[in-house]
Amino acid sequence: MNFLAPWHVPVLAAALALPPLVLLYFLKLKRRQIPIASTLLWKRAVHDLQVNSPFQRLRNNLLLILQLLILIAAIAAISEPVRPGKRGIDKAMVLLIDQSASMGAKEADGRTRLQIAKEEAHKIVNELGSSQRAMIIAFCDRARVMSAFTNDKPQLRAAIDAIEQTDGPSLLREAMELAEAHSTPIGEVREVGSSQYILLTDGRLPDSESVRVERGTMEIARIGEATENVGIVSLDVRRNYDRPEQISALINVRNFGTRPAKRDISLLVDGQIKNVQDLPELAPYGRPDAIHAAKYTKDPADNSQATAAFEMMLDTAATIEVRLSGEDALAIDDRAFAVVTPPRSIKALLVSPGNRFLRIAIGAVLDSFDIWQPEEYEKASDDKLIEDGRCVYNVVVFDGHSTNRLPPGNYLFFAAAPLIPDVTLGDVVPAPVLLDWDDTHPVLRHVNVATMSLFSCHKPELPSDAQTLIEATSGPVLSLLTRERRQYLICSFSLFDEDRTHVNTDWPYQEGLVMFMFNALRFLSGSSTIGQQPSVSPGQAFTVSVKPGTREITVRRPDGTTDKAAASASGLATYGRTNRVGLYHLETGIPGEDARAVNLLDASESLIASNKALRVASGETVAVRGSDYVNRPLWPWILGGLGAILLVEWIVYNKRVFV
C-alpha cells in the first residue's frame, strides 16, 4: 500500500488529535463538596474522594479504544492510501496509442516509446475476457481507427502491430472525439454505453487540458523516461534581393534536456557537405527534478538555444540539408531540409491602353518588361501566353481591364478585377477616406500609405477569404485573393480618372508608388521569399504543378520507397502521405516542381521528457503506474469503516458498557 499525501500530513494530524484524547481519559471528574448528615454515605464519599483526585490510572475502556480507532481511520483517510491492483477491463475498452514524433524517442534499452506502448497494448488485449470487446485508435495530429470494437484478439493484435511511427505533432482532441463517437450505443454495440479509455502516451499533448471525457473513465499510461535531446526548431533559406545568386540559411537550435550539450552543425548541398560550424555550449532546458512537469515555452531558458548562419553562392536549384552532430534520444529533429529555387529575373507584362505612370514605376523596378494593349492580350494565342500549364509571365499587370483569361499565374489589377465567381468591381465612390492598412504585409513594407489621397475608387465585392491590405470608408482599396494556382492583387482605384485626362491620386508624385510596385512584383512572383519552396509539417499535404496532360506522378519518399499521386485536369497534383521527415522527389515534368521538403521544426515535440503532470479538462481519469497496474484508492473503504466504528461507539455510549 502507498500513500499519495505527503508524510507530514498524517504525522501532524496524529500529533494534534491522539494525545488530547488519551489525556482526557487520565483526568478524573472534579465534583462539588456538599456536607451530609449521615454516616451511611461515608463509604461512597471515600470512593468519590478517590475519584475526584486530578489523575487516575488508565484502565481498559472500550470507548477509548473505539475513539482511538476513529481518529486513526480519519488520519489514514487524509493520507490518501492507494493499492496497486490489476487493471479492471470494462465491457468496452478503447486503446488510444500515441504515434507522434516524440514517441519515436529511444529509451535506455534501445526500444522506442511506440514499441513499448505497442507491447503494453498487447498485454492489455491478452487480458480480455470472451464477453469483453476492445477498439484500437492510433493518433498524432490526426486520429485513425485501426480496429473497431471486437473481441477477436488476433484482429486486435494485428491492428496494434499495424500502427506506424510518424513524425507529426500530437493532439488528443480528435482521437477522443473519435473514441466517444464509436462508443455511442448504436446498432450492434447497443450494450456499449460507457467505455474505458486507456491512453498510452508520453504525455506531450498540448491540447489535453481542453479535452473532456464525457462518458466512462480514462486511464493514462505514461511511456518513457528519456530526457536528453537537442533539436533544430527553425530553418529559413533566402536569396539576397540584390544578388539573387547568393543564399543565406538561418538555423535555430535548442537544448531540451537536463544537461549542457555541445554540438556542431553541418550544411549539405545536394548531399555534399559544404560547411560546418561549432555551436556554443547549450544550457539545460530544466532541472532533472522538474523536467517531467515542464511545459513547452516559447521563451527558452537562458543560453539553451543558439543560432547558426550560413552564406554561399548558389546560382542553380538545389536541395539543402542542415544536420546536427552527436546522438540523443530523438533523431528526427537533428536534421532539417529545404528545396532551393533557382535565381530568376521577374518577367512582367503590362496590359494597358496607355499609362505613363505605371510604365515609369515598373521600369524603375525591372530592366525590361512587355506592354500589350487589352485587345492584343485577348487575341494573343495560347503559345504566347501559356507554357507548361502556367502563364509565361511571372506577373501580369492589368490597367483598367477586367478579364477572365487568367491562366495559372499572378495578377495585379488597377481599377479592374478578375472575372471569376464572387468578385465584382462595384460602383465608383467619390472621395474615399483611408481608414486602416496592414504595413506589416510584404506588399506594403516601407510604403507610406498615410500620405496617399484618392479622388475616387470602386466599391468591390469580394469573397470572405480575401485579405484586405488597405481599407477605406468605401470598403477594401487593396485586397489579396488566392484561388488554386492564381494570386490576385486587386487595387480598386486607378491612377487616372475615367477619361484618362487627370490623375485620380497623388500617388504617382510620391516614392510610395515605386516602392509599392517593387514589393508587389517581388511578392507576386515569389521573390519576397524566393530561395526555398515552402516546407510542410509531417502529415500536411502539398500541391505541385504538373505538365499538362499528366494524369499521375511518381513520388519518391525519404525512405526510398515510391508512391503515386493523381493529377487533376487543371494541372495540379496533391500528395498527403507526408508522415515522415525528409525530401520528397516528384516526377512532375516541370523544373522547380520536382521536390518538396517535410520538416518537424516543432519545439513542443522536441521536448521529449514525459509529461507526468498530464491533465484533461474534465472527466474521471486514473493515473496508471507502468501499464499493467493501476493505483486503486482505499480512502472510500476507510471512511466506510470509520462510519461503522462510529455506530458501535454510539451504541456502547448509550448502553454505558465499560470493560
Side-chain angles (χ1 to χ4, degrees):
M1 182 174 65
N2 298 311
F3 296 91
L4 299 181
W7 65 269
H8 62 270
V9 173
V11 171
L12 183 61
L16 293 177
L18 297 180
L21 175 64
V22 176
L23 182 61
L24 288 175
Y25 277 87
F26 275 103
L27 295 177
K28 293 184 178 180
L29 180 63
K30 186 175 183 181
R31 302 180 185 273
R32 185 164 57 90
Q33 294 184 0
I34 301 176
I36 301 205
S38 174
T39 60
L40 296 175
L41 300 176
W42 283 359
K43 184 176 181 181
R44 183 59 182 266
V46 172
H47 176 73
D48 286 346
L49 184 63
Q50 295 173 348
V51 170
N52 288 336
S53 59
F55 295 96
Q56 65 177 346
R57 183 174 59 85
L58 188 64
R59 296 177 297 170
N60 290 334
N61 191 315
L62 182 57
L63 281 178
L64 172 60
I65 295 173
L66 293 175
Q67 290 166 359
L68 284 173
L69 289 176
I70 291 171
L71 287 177
I72 293 172
I75 293 170
I78 67 174
S79 302
E80 300 183 61
V82 294
R83 66 175 179 84
K86 279 285 187 179
R87 175 190 293 108
I89 299 177
D90 294 339
K91 280 191 174 182
M93 180 182 64
V94 181
L95 285 175
L96 302 163
I97 302 177
D98 188 353
Q99 57 176 169
S100 64
S102 60
M103 292 294 285
K106 286 189 176 182
E107 295 297 323
D109 59 3
R111 294 181 298 168
T112 66
R113 292 177 178 178
L114 180 59
Q115 291 173 336
I116 296 173
K118 291 165 71 171
E119 291 173 8
E120 299 298 338
H122 277 295
K123 295 178 183 178
I124 296 171
V125 168
N126 292 336
E127 295 176 4
L128 287 174
S130 58
S131 63
Q132 297 165 331
R133 56 177 68 193
M135 176 182 182
I136 310 296
I137 294 179
F139 72 95
C140 48
D141 57 337
R142 295 172 178 82
R144 178 186 175 192
V145 176
M146 306 300 295
S147 173
F149 279 110
T150 181
N151 58 2
D152 187 342
K153 292 185 180 181
Q155 178 180 332
L156 292 171
R157 285 192 285 265
I160 294 170
D161 292 335
I163 298 175
E164 296 181 351
Q165 177 69 57
T166 73
D167 295 339
S170 184
L171 296 173
L172 180 60
R173 178 185 293 275
E174 182 177 326
M176 199 64 212
E177 291 175 351
L178 190 61
E180 294 198 328
H182 280 264
S183 299
T184 302
I186 297 176
E188 296 181 357
V189 291
R190 185 168 298 278
E191 73 276 12
V192 180
S194 177
S195 293
Q196 179 181 8
Y197 306 103
I198 300 179
L199 176 62
L200 295 104
T201 178
D202 57 9
R204 290 299 166 187
L205 306 171
D207 65 338
S208 65
E209 295 184 359
S210 65
V211 171
R212 299 178 181 273
V213 182
E214 300 292 346
R215 296 185 305 277
T217 61
M218 174 182 284
E219 296 183 3
I220 303 172
R222 295 181 182 86
I223 308 295
E225 296 296 332
T227 59
E228 303 310 309
N229 184 48
V230 177
I232 299 171
V233 295
S234 69
L235 168 64
D236 185 28
V237 178
R238 294 176 182 264
R239 288 195 178 274
N240 188 286
Y241 270 4
D242 300 322
R243 303 178 63 192
E245 67 278 5
Q246 179 178 326
I247 68 165
S248 60
L250 191 66
I251 307 102
N252 187 256
V253 179
R254 288 179 63 173
N255 181 13
F256 296 93
T258 62
R259 298 192 296 266
K262 190 72 174 68
R263 296 284 192 274
D264 58 43
I265 189 165
S266 303
L267 174 71
L268 291 82
V269 178
D270 291 333
Q272 302 296 318
I273 295 180
K274 296 297 183 180
N275 203 344
V276 179
Q277 284 188 19
D278 288 330
L279 296 175
E281 185 175 78
L282 303 174
Y285 184 87
R287 304 188 315 273
D289 60 341
I291 191 72
H292 290 287
K295 292 185 178 180
Y296 163 68
T297 172
K298 292 183 179 179
D299 299 321
D302 292 341
N303 302 317
S304 66
Q305 70 173 347
T307 300
F310 295 96
E311 289 190 358
M312 63 180 298
M313 305 301 291
L314 186 64
D315 57 1
T316 62
T319 57
I320 295 287
E321 178 186 350
V322 291
R323 184 185 301 171
L324 286 175
S325 65
E327 294 184 359
D328 49 38
L330 188 64
I332 61 169
D333 61 357
D334 294 339
R335 304 169 71 191
F337 304 85
V339 178
V340 178
T341 55
R344 64 179 185 269
S345 59
I346 300 174
K347 187 177 181 181
L349 169 66
L350 173 61
V351 180
S352 172
N355 191 322
R356 67 178 182 274
F357 294 121
L358 281 180
R359 290 201 309 269
I360 293 172
I362 298 175
V365 179
L366 304 178
D367 293 333
S368 63
F369 61 96
D370 295 338
I371 302 176
W372 291 359
Q373 291 289 322
E375 298 80 7
E376 184 181 359
Y377 176 82
E378 296 296 341
K379 294 179 180 179
S381 60
D382 287 348
D383 59 350
K384 289 185 178 181
L385 196 61
I386 302 173
E387 182 180 0
D388 290 331
R390 290 184 60 87
C391 183
V392 296
Y393 293 96
N394 301 119
V395 182
V396 180
V397 181
F398 292 101
D399 175 30
H401 178 64
S402 298
T403 181
N404 62 355
R405 191 181 188 190
L406 301 165
N410 307 290
Y411 302 94
L412 171 58
F413 290 87
F414 283 94
L419 299 180
I420 59 176
D422 301 326
V423 176
T424 305
L425 190 59
D427 299 328
V428 175
V429 178
V433 178
L434 302 181
L435 299 177
D436 191 21
W437 51 89
D438 183 5
D439 54 9
T440 63
H441 195 277
V443 170
L444 296 180
R445 191 173 297 155
H446 308 304
V447 178
N448 191 357
V449 180
T451 62
M452 183 177 70
S453 299
L454 297 175
F455 294 108
S456 67
C457 71
H458 291 268
K459 186 178 182 179
E461 296 181 5
L462 303 172
S464 58
D465 60 336
Q467 182 181 2
T468 300
L469 303 183
I470 302 178
E471 187 172 10
T473 52
S474 59
V477 172
L478 180 65
S479 303
L480 178 64
L481 179 63
T482 302
R483 285 289 182 270
E484 290 187 344
R485 293 188 293 164
R486 299 168 178 85
Q487 289 189 103
Y488 306 110
L489 191 58
I490 304 171
C491 293
S492 63
F493 63 91
S494 173
L495 301 184
F496 286 100
D497 61 10
E498 293 183 358
D499 298 331
R500 290 188 174 267
T501 57
H502 298 86
V503 293
N504 185 47
T505 173
D506 60 355
W507 219 13
Y509 304 108
Q510 302 176 15
E511 69 272 10
L513 177 60
V514 176
M515 183 57 66
F516 167 76
M517 192 61 64
F518 176 85
N519 291 339
L521 292 174
R522 286 181 172 271
F523 175 80
L524 291 173
S525 66
S527 297
S528 62
T529 57
I530 194 167
Q532 71 176 99
Q533 293 280 7
S535 68
V536 299
S537 300
Q540 293 183 345
F542 58 75
T543 300
V544 294
S545 300
V546 300
K547 195 171 183 179
T550 303
R551 295 184 178 181
E552 188 179 66
I553 65 171
T554 300
V555 181
R556 181 158 54 87
R557 295 167 49 81
D559 58 5
T561 61
T562 59
D563 206 350
K564 299 290 184 180
S568 65
S570 60
L572 294 176
T574 300
Y575 185 73
R577 199 166 153 253
T578 59
N579 58 342
R580 302 312 300 254
V581 162
L583 291 170
Y584 290 73
H585 296 275
L586 317 162
E587 296 179 3
T588 61
I590 299 179
E593 296 289 321
D594 54 357
R596 286 294 186 272
V598 176
N599 291 313
L600 179 60
L601 303 179
D602 188 336
S604 60
E605 287 294 319
S606 293
L607 178 57
I608 63 169
S610 59
N611 181 12
K612 295 184 178 179
L614 178 65
R615 296 289 185 274
V616 295
S618 67
E620 185 178 351
T621 63
V622 180
V624 179
R625 187 179 65 188
S627 177
D628 292 328
Y629 294 91
V630 59
N631 287 331
R632 307 282 184 193
L634 295 176
W635 62 266
W637 297 95
I638 295 176
L639 289 182
L642 187 150
I645 297 173
L646 277 174
L647 178 62
V648 173
E649 195 265 354
W650 179 81
I651 295 173
V652 171
Y653 179 79
N654 281 275
K655 289 188 174 183
R656 308 184 71 86
V657 176
F658 297 89
V659 178

